[in-house]
Amino acid sequence: MTQVRHGQGETEKQGNSVRRIGLVEDHESVALGLQAMLADEPDLELVSMAATVGELLTQQQTLDLVVLDLRLGDGSSPRSNVEQLHAAGARVLVYTGAENAFLVRSAARAGVLGVVRKSAPASTIVSAIRRAAHGGQVVTTDWAAAIDGDPQLPDVGLSPRQREVLALYASGEKAARVASLAGLSEQTVNDYLVRIRNKYAEAGRPAPTKTDLYKRAVEDGWLPMPELPPRD
């Protein structure tokens, strides 16, 4: 997927009222469906589509809103994706299928404007995008259920570097490998792990084992929720 360009005359006609939309979605049929929904909306212009957040950001578009699929093929976490988009100055609206509430909560913790289902009527989807593009909250049943079901686990305040080490180590890498991947010494990685465990313990969420660290990383959205095996 790549940048989407509409006629320059249409944009000039609408002037500053046009909201520029980006889409992160790795299913082409879904992306084309959303493109068709917005094609006749004079105040909403889909200017960029990509399969990952990183790909979207490389296009260097100025966007009023990014519509983000929660479950992407690159295995990225919703919270990490939202934080990257916020750092680039974009608001975010979740566009989801039937993901579990954990993924929605993870995005909610990072401050998205709301969630809209892909199965919703086209008019509902367009209305949600328009509202979010103007900075408004999009409150739906899915959104409310996810927020209400949030256990409000205490934030332990990990630094970006500590989160990186935690995600690598908790995903199964050994300290030496984490050091190599993160460009740190093995001793520094071990020091980080001690501090991470201390922070979780101080927050009342102890993580003495590697399995416990994995659980905490999943709870906080630094690693994706494991997939359930298919039933026979």
Side-chain angles (χ1 to χ4, degrees), residues 12-86:
E12 288 176 349
K13 180 171 130 184
Q14 295 300 323
N16 292 332
S17 66
V18 175
R19 292 299 187 269
R20 294 166 58 84
I21 313 299
L23 172 65
V24 179
E25 168 61 64
D26 56 3
H27 288 89
E28 186 177 12
S29 59
V30 176
L32 292 175
L34 187 65
Q35 184 178 6
M37 286 182 215
L38 298 181
D40 295 327
E41 302 299 326
D43 61 327
L44 300 172
E45 184 178 12
L46 184 61
V47 299
S48 187
M49 298 191 297
T52 67
V53 168
E55 182 184 334
L56 186 82
L57 293 178
T58 62
Q59 296 176 16
Q60 298 183 331
Q61 292 275 357
T62 300
L63 301 171
D64 296 295
L65 178 72
V66 173
V67 179
L68 173 69
D69 185 13
L70 284 185
R71 195 187 295 272
L72 297 172
D74 64 353
S76 54
S77 76
R79 184 166 179 170
S80 173
N81 283 335
V82 173
E83 288 180 346
Q84 289 183 69
L85 292 168
H86 281 174

Side-chain angles (χ1 to χ4, degrees), residues 93-146:
L93 175 69
V94 167
Y95 191 45
T96 180
E99 280 83 3
N100 58 54
F102 169 85
L103 293 178
V104 180
R105 285 200 300 270
S106 179
R109 284 170 175 247
V112 301
L113 289 175
V115 56
V116 62
R117 278 188 176 265
K118 296 175 182 177
S119 58
S123 59
T124 299
I125 294 171
V126 171
S127 177
I129 291 173
R130 177 173 290 113
R131 181 172 179 80
H134 285 82
Q137 291 281 342
V138 177
V139 180
T140 61
T141 302
D142 290 301
W143 182 243

Side-chain angles (χ1 to χ4, degrees), residues 140-159:
T140 61
T141 302
D142 290 301
W143 182 243
I147 298 302
D148 290 343
D150 191 342
Q152 293 297 320
L153 298 173
D155 186 357
V156 298
L158 299 183
S159 69

Side-chain angles (χ1 to χ4, degrees), residues 156 158-159 161-167 169 188-203 205-207 213 216-217 222:
V156 298
L158 299 183
S159 69
R161 200 61 154 154
Q162 288 171 338
R163 296 198 300 258
E164 178 186 13
V165 168
L166 171 61
Y169 183 75
T188 299
V189 168
N190 287 326
D191 289 343
Y192 273 134
L193 291 172
V194 169
R195 293 173 196 166
I196 290 167
R197 284 192 167 98
N198 287 340
K199 285 188 174 185
Y200 274 112
E202 290 168 1
R205 303 168 60 195
L213 282 176
R216 302 296 171 258
W222 309 126

